[in-house]
């Protein structure tokens, strides 16, 4: 039977490529975004559905996960891609800026990971993927991205804590840390950069499919540094 995979940030630059990859590989895909906008290529696909949920809202996220579990009985994987970016060294990062990144990157993942992790522990199988980032791992890259780096580093710590709690069970929380992704937004923001060094959304989608496919099933607590040549 096809595995059921929940994908947040489904209409984003990365999410679109990931949804496409998982549909191409015959997974059942439950997409989530904020706006409920259409994913043209997938909107009529029989294995795809798209839900608009504000993932920064804990109650709405919890209700959504519970309804999905009740409908599908088993969620095999959750790719929690929703998130975003902000510049700013410490002088530019006040509490408001900090809370904005915390909400966008950490809360949007935490509020889904919490009920999904419990569901996966009960069902005895599950793969959750959180999206970190290089500035959360390398301080040199993060020193002018204080709120972004801090919010992403919390996700890396969350994965550690959940993997500790899941020891002995076939439930794994992985972290992917892409460098700059080759998106239209990044190309417009950095027109002079060498785009060939960036990582393509489709390359990240390959890694995510590897995680969910079973081929990487012996891995525990992995951190995938998907840096391309950047
Ligand atoms: N782009 C890069 O170079 C890069 C590098 C490293 C890591 N990352 C990380 O990779 C992930 C994907 O990046 P991307 O470039 O694909 O981002 P993107 O194109 O900006 O997409 C962001 C997605 O998150 C969704 N989202 C934001 N807030 C939400 C909320 N409150 N509730 C539900 N959905 C929400 C958006 O939905 P709506 O569009 O409906 O609002 C959209 O689907 C992010 O976690 C990002 O931090 C990106």
């Amino acid at each position: 039977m096809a595995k059921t995979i929940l994908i947040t940030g489904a209409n984003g630059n990365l999410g679109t490529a990931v949804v496409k990859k998982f549909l191409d590989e015959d997974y059942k895909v439950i997409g989530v975004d904020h706006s409920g906008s259409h994913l043209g290529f997938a909107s009529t696909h029989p294995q795809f559905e798209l839900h608009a949920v504000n993932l920064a809202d804990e109650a709405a996220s919890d209700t959504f996960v519970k309804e999905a579990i009740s409908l599908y009985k088993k969620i095999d994987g959750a790719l929690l891609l929703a998130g975003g970016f902000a510049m700013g060294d410490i002088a530019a990062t006040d509490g408001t800026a900090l809370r904005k990144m915390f909400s966008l990157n950490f809360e949007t993942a935490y509020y889904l990971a919490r009920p999904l992790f419990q569901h996966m522990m009960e069902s005895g199988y599950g793969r959750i993927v959180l999206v970190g980032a290089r500035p959360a791992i390398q301080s040199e890259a993060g020193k002018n991205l204080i709120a972004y780096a801090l919010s992403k580093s919390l996700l890396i710590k969350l994965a550690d804590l959940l993997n500790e709690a899941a020891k002995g069970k076939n439930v794994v929380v992985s972290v992917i840390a892409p460098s700059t992704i080759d998106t239209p937004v990044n190309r417009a923001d950095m027109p002079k950069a060498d785009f060939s060094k960036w990582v393509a959304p489709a390359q990240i989608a390959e890694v995510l499919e590897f995680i969910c496919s079973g081929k990487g099933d012996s891995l525990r607590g992995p951190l995938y540094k998907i840096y391309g040549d950047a």
Side-chain angles (χ1 to χ4, degrees):
M1 204 174 77
K3 284 181 179 168
T4 300
I5 310 294
L6 194 154
I7 302 177
T8 75
N11 70 340
N13 286 297
L14 175 58
T16 308
V18 175
V19 167
K20 185 168 187 324
K21 172 71 182 169
F22 277 73
L23 289 177
D24 285 351
E25 299 290 337
D26 288 331
Y27 292 82
K28 162 82 195 163
V29 174
I30 307 168
V32 184
D33 68 11
H34 198 179
S35 51
S37 54
H38 291 289
L39 269 82
F41 66 91
S43 52
T44 57
H45 197 291
Q47 293 282 90
F48 181 71
E49 58 188 62
L50 185 64
H51 298 263
V53 183
N54 178 8
L55 298 173
D57 179 330
E58 181 170 18
S61 301
D62 195 61
T63 301
F64 167 70
V65 171
K66 287 188 175 139
E67 282 174 6
I69 291 169
S70 136
L71 194 59
Y72 293 107
K73 310 300 172 216
K74 191 160 175 261
I75 310 286
D76 301 286
L79 313 177
L80 305 182
L81 311 180
F85 174 78
M87 300 279 293
D89 62 8
I90 193 155
T93 305
D94 61 9
T96 303
L98 204 58
R99 280 188 290 277
K100 193 172 169 197
M101 277 289 101
F102 177 79
S103 175
L104 181 56
N105 284 318
F106 187 75
E107 284 184 295
T108 58
Y110 188 82
Y111 295 148
L112 282 201
R114 183 168 177 258
L116 283 166
F117 181 76
Q118 293 170 73
H119 162 69
M120 289 171 179
M121 290 291 276
E122 276 161 24
S123 68
Y125 176 85
R127 295 292 178 266
I128 294 176
V129 180
L130 305 175
V131 185
R134 175 136 76 172
I137 299 167
Q138 291 176 356
S139 300
E140 196 191 340
K143 66 184 181 207
N144 293 322
L145 309 168
I146 292 284
Y148 178 69
L150 285 173
S151 62
K152 289 296 193 184
S153 64
L154 272 181
L155 291 169
I156 297 172
K157 187 66 192 174
L158 176 64
D160 262 358
L161 295 169
L162 294 183
N163 284 321
E164 204 50 50
K167 261 197 179 144
K169 303 259 186 183
N170 195 5
V171 175
V172 178
V173 183
S174 305
V175 177
I176 59 161
S179 59
T180 308
I181 304 174
D182 188 0
T183 67
V185 176
N186 284 335
R187 284 189 181 218
D189 286 349
M190 295 172 267
K192 291 189 178 150
D194 180 353
F195 309 143
S196 70
K197 293 193 183 306
W198 293 351
V199 63
Q203 292 177 302
I204 300 173
E206 291 283 345
V207 176
L208 294 172
E209 202 277 324
F210 166 81
I211 292 168
C212 295
S213 66
K215 290 180 203 134
D217 260 5
S218 60
L219 293 166
R220 292 292 179 271
L223 167 63
Y224 298 85
K225 295 180 183 175
I226 314 177
Y227 291 171
D229 294 319

